[in-house]
Amino acid sequence: MGENKRDGRDRDLAQRGSSAPDVGPSRDVDAFLKEARAVATPAAPAGRLIFALDATMSRQPTWDLACQLQAEMFDTALAGGGLAVQLVYFRGFGECRASRWVSDAGALTALMTRIDCRGGLTQIGRVLAHARNEVSRSGAKVLVLVGDAVEEDADGLCALAGELGLLGVRIFAFQEGHDATVTGIFKELSRLTGGAYARFDSGAGTTLAALLRGAAAYASGGLPALQRLADRDGGEIRGLLTAMGGKR
């Protein structure tokens, strides 16, 4: 939003100055200011990823693990033009919040370390509804969902996922554990959006790290970026690629 405001101010200044005589020094100053703005304004990250985590009481170990691993998402996305991440979490009695967009691991770490896990029920439906709204607000097209439980109506969640799929949002649903009900719902959420499902075990840092890298690669560079990462790293990332219809 800040960049849009700056652009608007720049256009207004140009319009106001257009009636002035076009003398040599003015042309030099205008050229200098134009070049300075181009140098001073960083390019917006190529990808946007909503990072949704279950922060109910049982999730503290995985929350801490995700906090340690999230830097790898930003590192992976550099080749595709960078990444902006919005943290979304739910916990306690009806608490579901979304952070500002951040473009580096340090800022995301600062957000995550201020949050502690608390008892409560899952609120995946609110996460999906938020992602639907972010399409028009920010253009986000990737949602990473990490959790081990679903305590909501499956049909309602699938309806929301269907809407996201029509909007071009891809859900990467990463399940911790082996709960069969969660497996079925997470797989369906990813299928309805053309995304990908994967499972990891508690404390499996290398597996979760690979899954997060794969999602970040897709968010910043689409299937070609995910293909390149799969060719390099294989394993879980190749599984994500296959689920999304890429080359094996």
Side-chain angles (χ1 to χ4, degrees):
M1 184 179 293
E3 292 178 359
N4 292 336
K5 288 183 177 178
R6 283 197 298 272
D7 291 343
R9 287 198 295 269
D10 290 345
R11 284 193 294 271
D12 290 342
L13 287 170
Q15 290 166 358
R16 286 198 296 270
S18 62
S19 60
D22 190 14
V23 295
S26 176
R27 286 199 303 272
D28 292 341
V29 170
D30 288 344
F32 170 78
L33 291 176
K34 182 177 180 181
E35 182 178 355
R37 282 196 299 269
V39 171
T41 303
R48 286 185 178 269
L49 182 151
I50 300 173
F51 190 25
L53 293 171
D54 182 338
T56 54
M57 188 62 75
S58 64
R59 308 301 299 148
Q60 192 67 56
T62 302
W63 182 279
D64 295 340
L65 178 63
C67 187
Q68 297 169 23
L69 299 176
Q70 50 84 15
E72 297 191 28
M73 294 194 298
F74 292 100
D75 292 341
T76 298
L78 286 176
L83 184 71
V85 173
Q86 182 186 61
L87 176 67
V88 179
Y89 66 92
F90 54 85
R91 64 180 182 177
F93 183 69
E95 182 182 2
C96 183
R97 302 188 180 221
S99 76
R100 68 185 186 278
W101 288 95
V102 297
S103 300
D104 64 86
L108 186 54
T109 298
L111 291 172
M112 295 183 72
T113 53
R114 292 200 300 265
I115 299 165
D116 61 310
C117 294
R118 301 174 185 173
L121 301 177
T122 64
Q123 300 176 64
I124 297 170
R126 293 181 67 182
V127 172
L128 300 181
H130 169 77
R132 179 184 59 194
N133 295 334
E134 276 298 328
V135 174
S136 58
R137 281 198 294 255
S138 66
K141 291 297 181 69
V142 173
L143 167 63
V144 171
L145 174 64
V146 180
D148 68 343
V150 179
E151 296 159 322
E152 299 155 77
D153 174 63
D155 289 339
L157 296 180
C158 289
L160 286 167
E163 292 182 47
L164 290 175
L166 291 174
L167 293 170
V169 178
R170 306 288 180 250
I171 294 178
F172 288 78
F174 300 150
Q175 176 194 0
E176 180 180 347
H178 298 265
D179 186 288
T181 299
V182 177
T183 300
I185 293 174
F186 272 29
K187 282 185 174 181
E188 189 65 3
L189 296 181
S190 64
R191 185 191 70 80
L192 287 167
T193 63
Y197 162 85
R199 193 190 62 77
F200 66 98
D201 290 319
S202 177
T206 55
T207 300
L208 182 57
L211 296 175
L212 294 179
R213 289 199 307 273
Y218 180 82
S220 62
L223 276 177
L226 185 58
Q227 177 77 62
R228 289 192 295 272
L229 190 63
D231 290 343
R232 189 191 77 184
D233 293 354
E236 290 82 6
I237 297 173
R238 185 161 297 283
L240 296 180
L241 180 69
T242 300
M244 299 186 75
K247 297 178 182 178
R248 294 177 180 272

